[in-house]
Amino acid sequence: MFNYLKELSFTRGAWLLLTTSCVALEATALYFQHGMGLNPCVMCIYERLALLAILVAGIIGFLAPKFILTRWIALLLGLYGAVKGLTLAIKHTDYQLNPAPWNQCSPFVEFPETLPLNVWFPSIFEASGNCGKIVWQFWGLSMPQWLIAIFAVYTVLFACLVLSQFKRSRSGIRERNLFS
């Protein structure tokens, strides 16, 4: 399995599939916001950013999957985004399932002063919803519960891909580094 995953990480098609899945999920989030009128909360915005990190990792991996440095940057960024998204979705679900005055998210997104995404792109990164309120369900699961499943799949995928990089390749695919 690790041989297959390592060989897969060398192909642009796999990175393109990852990028496409993230674009579809980001487009779905924007449809929920602008098409269905569901206001995103602070945790929704942070979960979007975690997904955006995975999307950027997919683009980086697509650009040069056979270069060691590029592939490792993509894999580690993707793993970070997946783990961060998973922890955010779990916390968001906790806000919804255990509402209490002491268990609430901040009413305002907190971006660094040098990167105020909510000021630059308010239609995407401005939060006006309530983290503890369940506004959408599908098959009995709320949006953050679905995100737990999605980010768990991404986390397992990236963890296996990272581990596969330590497996020696049997195929003729040759890795290239910056000095070869």
Side-chain angles (χ1 to χ4, degrees):
M1 177 178 98
F2 282 127
N3 279 330
Y4 174 73
L5 287 174
K6 184 170 185 178
E7 290 175 18
L8 198 61
S9 72
F10 283 90
T11 65
R12 288 183 174 204
W15 291 103
L16 182 62
L17 181 62
L18 174 73
T19 304
T20 304
S21 72
C22 290
V23 167
L25 289 169
E26 291 284 1
T28 302
L30 291 173
Y31 171 74
F32 282 147
Q33 179 181 354
H34 298 291
M36 294 176 63
L38 302 178
N39 294 327
C41 66
V42 170
M43 295 301 284
C44 295
I45 299 299
Y46 293 156
E47 290 156 354
R48 278 186 195 176
L49 285 173
L51 191 59
L52 191 61
I54 298 171
L55 190 147
V56 169
I59 292 170
I60 292 170
F62 177 80
L63 292 176
K66 293 185 181 175
F67 285 109
I68 295 170
L69 182 62
T70 307
R71 192 173 60 254
W72 271 103
I73 289 170
L75 288 170
L76 294 177
L77 178 61
L79 182 62
Y80 173 77
V83 170
K84 187 68 174 174
L86 182 60
T87 58
L88 287 167
I90 290 170
K91 185 65 177 163
H92 192 175
T93 301
D94 181 52
Y95 289 146
Q96 289 184 342
L97 298 180
N98 302 307
W102 58 85
N103 193 26
Q104 296 181 12
C105 66
S106 169
F108 306 105
V109 289
E110 298 172 12
F111 291 118
E113 287 182 25
T114 56
L115 194 66
L117 294 175
N118 58 325
V119 175
W120 294 345
F121 308 104
S123 63
I124 299 173
F125 295 111
E126 188 59 48
S128 57
N130 180 350
C131 292
K133 188 175 178 184
I134 298 174
V135 295
W136 178 88
Q137 284 188 321
F138 183 67
W139 289 341
L141 297 176
S142 67
M143 206 173 299
Q145 290 171 322
W146 280 104
L147 285 174
I148 289 173
I150 290 166
F151 282 121
V153 168
Y154 280 136
T155 300
V156 169
L157 174 68
F158 276 108
C160 288
L161 283 168
V162 166
L163 290 174
S164 75
Q165 300 305 301
F166 296 105
K167 182 81 173 150
R168 277 201 124 87
S169 293
R170 287 189 218 162
S171 71
I173 296 177
R174 216 184 112 219
E175 292 183 75
R176 288 184 267 158
N177 59 30
L178 295 174
F179 305 108
S180 61

